[in-house]
Amino acid sequence: MLTLIGRNLSPYSRRVAIAMTLLDVPHHREYLSVTADPERGLEVNPVGRVPVLQLEDGERLIESGAILDYLMELVGPAKSLIPPHGRARRDCLQLMAIASGVLDKAVAAIYEMRRRPAEKVHEPWRQHLLRQASGGLAALETHCHDGWLVGDRIGMADITAAVMVTFLRVMLPETVPAGLYPKLYALTERCEAMPAFQAHKLETP
Ligand SMILES: N[C@@H](CCC(=O)N[C@@H](CS)C(=O)NCC(=O)O)C(=O)O
């Protein structure tokens, strides 16, 4: 059976876990924290990060986007959460890129605060990272409407956006003040109410 390595506090791991549940892909889970166990992180991934997807023969895939690509090919185009071709595929991948780009900047801002001694935090750099995250949030807000981001059913763009907003609300609440991104909030609430999201709740740190 497949094994997904990484805990739900990692938004990159959480988006893969939610996709696997939505797609009914059976798997085990190893709730690895690379902060708590960096040695295990380096054992399963040469660059020491999660998520990692271990295949039945022991091969390990890294990088959430590449893991999702593998999963979508596994389930086939009819079930895929990323449209297989054309404009819809391009839109989905671009919106996923914005949402995961916000995560990259938010995680870097969190590391700046938590991984450095207080006197070595470079506040102008942290502010720059937060401005980049806000740029992505504002762009996503303009793409939200009453339905799903792309097409007429939930897809990877919605999942990535919702996982990202929930992560920010817990870890960096100042980046998502109430009222600033109402449509993105509404999309997130709709996603988080679904059983697949409830099955992989964000653990509070
Ligand atoms: N681009 C990667 C990002 C993965 C990532 O940064 N994961 C974090 C956890 S949220 C991690 O393992 N950080 C440990 C580190 O970078 O030292 C992906 O999409 O898989």
Side-chain angles (χ1 to χ4, degrees), residues 9-13 15 34-35 47-51 62-65 67 100 104 107 111 115 167:
L9 184 57
S10 156
Y12 310 97
S13 302
R15 73 170 175 159
V34 288
T35 310
V47 289
R49 299 195 300 192
V50 289
I62 64 163
E63 192 66 39
S64 58
I67 293 170
S100 62
D104 294 344
V107 169
Y111 287 171
R115 304 269 173 111
F167 177 78

Side-chain angles (χ1 to χ4, degrees), residues 5 30 32-52 60 62:
I5 304 173
E30 180 184 328
L32 173 67
S33 158
V34 288
T35 310
D37 192 350
E39 288 311 313
R40 176 68 182 150
L42 285 163
E43 193 179 299
V44 294
N45 177 344
V47 289
R49 299 195 300 192
V50 289
V52 174
R60 294 194 186 107
I62 64 163

Side-chain angles (χ1 to χ4, degrees), residues 74-158:
L74 184 75
V75 298
K79 281 183 80 179
S80 176
L81 298 167
I82 300 173
H85 47 70
R87 174 89 224 182
R89 179 175 177 82
R90 200 157 74 235
D91 287 349
C92 182
L93 290 172
Q94 283 299 301
L95 293 169
M96 286 168 67
I98 297 174
S100 62
V102 172
L103 279 174
D104 294 344
K105 297 300 157 183
V107 169
I110 292 167
Y111 287 171
E112 184 70 20
M113 291 298 286
R114 296 193 174 193
R115 304 269 173 111
R116 289 177 183 275
E119 70 278 10
K120 290 192 173 161
V121 171
H122 188 48
E123 189 54 24
W125 176 242
R126 198 180 76 89
Q127 287 303 327
H128 178 67
L129 293 167
L130 296 181
R131 272 206 311 277
Q132 289 175 294
S134 299
L137 285 161
L140 283 175
E141 176 71 10
T142 66
H143 285 89
C144 289
H145 49 88
D146 287 342
W148 301 110
L149 281 168
V150 181
D152 56 7
R153 64 185 174 97
I154 189 168
M156 259 347 284
D158 307 289

